[in-house]
PDB file of all heavy atoms in Angstrom:
ATOM      1  N   ALA A   4       0.956  -0.524 -21.700  1.00  0.00           N
ATOM      2  CA  ALA A   4       1.296   0.885 -21.929  1.00  0.00           C
ATOM      3  C   ALA A   4       0.238   1.806 -21.343  1.00  0.00           C
ATOM      4  O   ALA A   4       0.503   2.967 -21.080  1.00  0.00           O
ATOM      5  CB  ALA A   4       1.456   1.144 -23.415  1.00  0.00           C
ATOM      6  N   PHE A   7      -0.388   1.155 -14.988  1.00  0.00           N
ATOM      7  CA  PHE A   7       0.796   0.977 -14.168  1.00  0.00           C
ATOM      8  C   PHE A   7       0.425   0.240 -12.897  1.00  0.00           C
ATOM      9  O   PHE A   7      -0.744   0.139 -12.541  1.00  0.00           O
ATOM     10  CB  PHE A   7       1.479   2.320 -13.868  1.00  0.00           C
ATOM     11  CG  PHE A   7       0.681   3.253 -13.006  1.00  0.00           C
ATOM     12  CD1 PHE A   7       0.940   3.341 -11.659  1.00  0.00           C
ATOM     13  CD2 PHE A   7      -0.309   4.056 -13.550  1.00  0.00           C
ATOM     14  CE1 PHE A   7       0.218   4.207 -10.856  1.00  0.00           C
ATOM     15  CE2 PHE A   7      -1.029   4.922 -12.755  1.00  0.00           C
ATOM     16  CZ  PHE A   7      -0.774   4.996 -11.411  1.00  0.00           C
ATOM     17  N   PRO A  10       1.725  -0.637  -5.168  1.00  0.00           N
ATOM     18  CA  PRO A  10       1.023  -1.152  -3.985  1.00  0.00           C
ATOM     19  C   PRO A  10       0.019  -0.121  -3.478  1.00  0.00           C
ATOM     20  O   PRO A  10       0.287   1.076  -3.505  1.00  0.00           O
ATOM     21  CB  PRO A  10       2.136  -1.400  -2.971  1.00  0.00           C
ATOM     22  CG  PRO A  10       3.332  -0.704  -3.480  1.00  0.00           C
ATOM     23  CD  PRO A  10       3.137  -0.435  -4.931  1.00  0.00           C
ATOM     24  N   LEU A  11      -1.132  -0.590  -3.056  1.00  0.00           N
ATOM     25  CA  LEU A  11      -2.182   0.280  -2.540  1.00  0.00           C
ATOM     26  C   LEU A  11      -2.435  -0.095  -1.083  1.00  0.00           C
ATOM     27  O   LEU A  11      -3.025  -1.133  -0.798  1.00  0.00           O
ATOM     28  CB  LEU A  11      -3.455   0.117  -3.380  1.00  0.00           C
ATOM     29  CG  LEU A  11      -4.657   0.933  -2.948  1.00  0.00           C
ATOM     30  CD1 LEU A  11      -4.335   2.432  -3.021  1.00  0.00           C
ATOM     31  CD2 LEU A  11      -5.851   0.609  -3.824  1.00  0.00           C
ATOM     32  N   PRO A  14      -6.868   0.757   4.777  1.00  0.00           N
ATOM     33  CA  PRO A  14      -7.322  -0.020   5.932  1.00  0.00           C
ATOM     34  C   PRO A  14      -7.971  -1.330   5.511  1.00  0.00           C
ATOM     35  O   PRO A  14      -8.765  -1.384   4.573  1.00  0.00           O
ATOM     36  CB  PRO A  14      -8.341   0.910   6.597  1.00  0.00           C
ATOM     37  CG  PRO A  14      -7.886   2.278   6.212  1.00  0.00           C
ATOM     38  CD  PRO A  14      -7.352   2.137   4.815  1.00  0.00           C
ATOM     39  N   VAL A  18      -1.020  -7.418   4.416  1.00  0.00           N
ATOM     40  CA  VAL A  18       0.339  -7.260   3.892  1.00  0.00           C
ATOM     41  C   VAL A  18       1.245  -8.280   4.556  1.00  0.00           C
ATOM     42  O   VAL A  18       0.900  -8.888   5.561  1.00  0.00           O
ATOM     43  CB  VAL A  18       0.881  -5.832   4.149  1.00  0.00           C
ATOM     44  CG1 VAL A  18       0.069  -4.808   3.402  1.00  0.00           C
ATOM     45  CG2 VAL A  18       0.913  -5.510   5.629  1.00  0.00           C
ATOM     46  N   LEU A  20       4.901  -8.809   6.378  1.00  0.00           N
ATOM     47  CA  LEU A  20       6.026  -8.181   7.059  1.00  0.00           C
ATOM     48  C   LEU A  20       6.967  -9.307   7.462  1.00  0.00           C
ATOM     49  O   LEU A  20       6.699 -10.029   8.419  1.00  0.00           O
ATOM     50  CB  LEU A  20       5.562  -7.397   8.287  1.00  0.00           C
ATOM     51  CG  LEU A  20       6.645  -6.745   9.131  1.00  0.00           C
ATOM     52  CD1 LEU A  20       7.426  -5.718   8.309  1.00  0.00           C
ATOM     53  CD2 LEU A  20       6.040  -6.070  10.355  1.00  0.00           C
ATOM     54  N   GLN A  24       2.010 -12.222   8.419  1.00  0.00           N
ATOM     55  CA  GLN A  24       1.015 -11.381   7.767  1.00  0.00           C
ATOM     56  C   GLN A  24       0.420 -10.437   8.786  1.00  0.00           C
ATOM     57  O   GLN A  24       0.304 -10.773   9.966  1.00  0.00           O
ATOM     58  CB  GLN A  24      -0.099 -12.228   7.156  1.00  0.00           C
ATOM     59  CG  GLN A  24       0.308 -12.969   5.924  1.00  0.00           C
ATOM     60  CD  GLN A  24      -0.882 -13.656   5.267  1.00  0.00           C
ATOM     61  OE1 GLN A  24      -1.895 -13.901   5.911  1.00  0.00           O
ATOM     62  NE2 GLN A  24      -0.756 -13.959   3.995  1.00  0.00           N
ATOM     63  N   ARG A  34       6.877  13.658   6.949  1.00  0.00           N
ATOM     64  CA  ARG A  34       8.145  14.152   6.402  1.00  0.00           C
ATOM     65  C   ARG A  34       8.550  13.401   5.143  1.00  0.00           C
ATOM     66  O   ARG A  34       9.671  12.916   5.013  1.00  0.00           O
ATOM     67  CB  ARG A  34       9.252  14.088   7.445  1.00  0.00           C
ATOM     68  CG  ARG A  34       8.997  14.992   8.617  1.00  0.00           C
ATOM     69  CD  ARG A  34      10.135  14.984   9.573  1.00  0.00           C
ATOM     70  NE  ARG A  34       9.815  15.833  10.715  1.00  0.00           N
ATOM     71  CZ  ARG A  34      10.485  15.843  11.827  1.00  0.00           C
ATOM     72  NH1 ARG A  34      11.527  15.047  11.988  1.00  0.00           N
ATOM     73  NH2 ARG A  34      10.145  16.645  12.802  1.00  0.00           N
ATOM     74  N   TYR A  44       0.485  -3.961  16.173  1.00  0.00           N
ATOM     75  CA  TYR A  44       1.859  -3.456  16.283  1.00  0.00           C
ATOM     76  C   TYR A  44       1.827  -2.074  16.918  1.00  0.00           C
ATOM     77  O   TYR A  44       0.959  -1.255  16.604  1.00  0.00           O
ATOM     78  CB  TYR A  44       2.517  -3.364  14.906  1.00  0.00           C
ATOM     79  CG  TYR A  44       2.867  -4.700  14.299  1.00  0.00           C
ATOM     80  CD1 TYR A  44       1.891  -5.496  13.703  1.00  0.00           C
ATOM     81  CD2 TYR A  44       4.166  -5.175  14.320  1.00  0.00           C
ATOM     82  CE1 TYR A  44       2.206  -6.727  13.147  1.00  0.00           C
ATOM     83  CE2 TYR A  44       4.493  -6.405  13.764  1.00  0.00           C
ATOM     84  CZ  TYR A  44       3.497  -7.172  13.181  1.00  0.00           C
ATOM     85  OH  TYR A  44       3.821  -8.384  12.634  1.00  0.00           O
ATOM     86  N   GLU A  45       2.783  -1.810  17.811  1.00  0.00           N
ATOM     87  CA  GLU A  45       2.804  -0.524  18.510  1.00  0.00           C
ATOM     88  C   GLU A  45       3.279   0.623  17.635  1.00  0.00           C
ATOM     89  O   GLU A  45       2.701   1.695  17.654  1.00  0.00           O
ATOM     90  CB  GLU A  45       3.712  -0.612  19.745  1.00  0.00           C
ATOM     91  CG  GLU A  45       3.066  -1.293  20.913  1.00  0.00           C
ATOM     92  CD  GLU A  45       3.894  -1.147  22.174  1.00  0.00           C
ATOM     93  OE1 GLU A  45       4.535  -0.105  22.354  1.00  0.00           O
ATOM     94  OE2 GLU A  45       3.897  -2.101  22.946  1.00  0.00           O
ATOM     95  N   VAL A  48       5.246   1.151  10.604  1.00  0.00           N
ATOM     96  CA  VAL A  48       6.273   0.456   9.835  1.00  0.00           C
ATOM     97  C   VAL A  48       6.478   1.203   8.520  1.00  0.00           C
ATOM     98  O   VAL A  48       5.508   1.651   7.899  1.00  0.00           O
ATOM     99  CB  VAL A  48       5.827  -1.000   9.557  1.00  0.00           C
ATOM    100  CG1 VAL A  48       6.842  -1.734   8.707  1.00  0.00           C
ATOM    101  CG2 VAL A  48       5.570  -1.735  10.862  1.00  0.00           C
ATOM    102  N   ALA A  50       6.716   1.700   4.754  1.00  0.00           N
ATOM    103  CA  ALA A  50       6.031   0.962   3.689  1.00  0.00           C
ATOM    104  C   ALA A  50       7.000   0.133   2.853  1.00  0.00           C
ATOM    105  O   ALA A  50       6.608  -0.887   2.283  1.00  0.00           O
ATOM    106  CB  ALA A  50       5.264   1.928   2.800  1.00  0.00           C
ATOM    107  N   ASP A  51       8.267   0.539   2.773  1.00  0.00           N
ATOM    108  CA  ASP A  51       9.258  -0.224   2.006  1.00  0.00           C
ATOM    109  C   ASP A  51       9.541  -1.592   2.620  1.00  0.00           C
ATOM    110  O   ASP A  51      10.015  -2.488   1.928  1.00  0.00           O
ATOM    111  CB  ASP A  51      10.564   0.556   1.898  1.00  0.00           C
ATOM    112  CG  ASP A  51      10.411   1.814   1.059  1.00  0.00           C
ATOM    113  OD1 ASP A  51       9.499   1.857   0.207  1.00  0.00           O
ATOM    114  OD2 ASP A  51      11.209   2.751   1.258  1.00  0.00           O
ATOM    115  N   LEU A  53       7.266  -3.607   3.751  1.00  0.00           N
ATOM    116  CA  LEU A  53       6.086  -4.449   3.567  1.00  0.00           C
ATOM    117  C   LEU A  53       6.019  -4.988   2.151  1.00  0.00           C
ATOM    118  O   LEU A  53       6.439  -4.332   1.198  1.00  0.00           O
ATOM    119  CB  LEU A  53       4.822  -3.647   3.860  1.00  0.00           C
ATOM    120  CG  LEU A  53       4.724  -3.060   5.257  1.00  0.00           C
ATOM    121  CD1 LEU A  53       3.522  -2.149   5.353  1.00  0.00           C
ATOM    122  CD2 LEU A  53       4.664  -4.156   6.299  1.00  0.00           C
ATOM    123  N   GLU A  56       0.897  -7.359  -3.057  1.00  0.00           N
ATOM    124  CA  GLU A  56       0.659  -7.511  -4.492  1.00  0.00           C
ATOM    125  C   GLU A  56       0.219  -6.155  -5.042  1.00  0.00           C
ATOM    126  O   GLU A  56      -0.713  -5.540  -4.521  1.00  0.00           O
ATOM    127  CB  GLU A  56      -0.433  -8.555  -4.734  1.00  0.00           C
ATOM    128  CG  GLU A  56      -0.685  -8.848  -6.180  1.00  0.00           C
ATOM    129  CD  GLU A  56       0.464  -9.551  -6.860  1.00  0.00           C
ATOM    130  OE1 GLU A  56       1.208 -10.285  -6.186  1.00  0.00           O
ATOM    131  OE2 GLU A  56       0.619  -9.367  -8.062  1.00  0.00           O
ATOM    132  N   VAL A  59      -3.432  -2.579 -10.124  1.00  0.00           N
ATOM    133  CA  VAL A  59      -3.280  -2.075 -11.484  1.00  0.00           C
ATOM    134  C   VAL A  59      -4.186  -0.859 -11.660  1.00  0.00           C
ATOM    135  O   VAL A  59      -5.370  -0.899 -11.333  1.00  0.00           O
ATOM    136  CB  VAL A  59      -3.655  -3.161 -12.515  1.00  0.00           C
ATOM    137  CG1 VAL A  59      -3.541  -2.617 -13.929  1.00  0.00           C
ATOM    138  CG2 VAL A  59      -2.776  -4.379 -12.335  1.00  0.00           C
ATOM    139  N   LEU A  62      -4.266   4.559 -17.023  1.00  0.00           N
ATOM    140  CA  LEU A  62      -3.853   5.940 -17.223  1.00  0.00           C
ATOM    141  C   LEU A  62      -4.833   6.722 -18.087  1.00  0.00           C
ATOM    142  O   LEU A  62      -4.719   7.918 -18.207  1.00  0.00           O
ATOM    143  CB  LEU A  62      -2.454   5.972 -17.870  1.00  0.00           C
ATOM    144  CG  LEU A  62      -1.350   5.349 -17.042  1.00  0.00           C
ATOM    145  CD1 LEU A  62      -0.049   5.367 -17.828  1.00  0.00           C
ATOM    146  CD2 LEU A  62      -1.162   6.069 -15.731  1.00  0.00           C
TER     147      LEU A  62
END
Side-chain angles (χ1 to χ4, degrees):
F7 66 99
L11 179 61
V18 296
L20 177 61
Q24 287 187 339
R34 296 184 182 167
Y44 288 78
E45 281 190 34
V48 177
D51 293 335
L53 301 173
E56 184 68 29
V59 178
L62 298 176

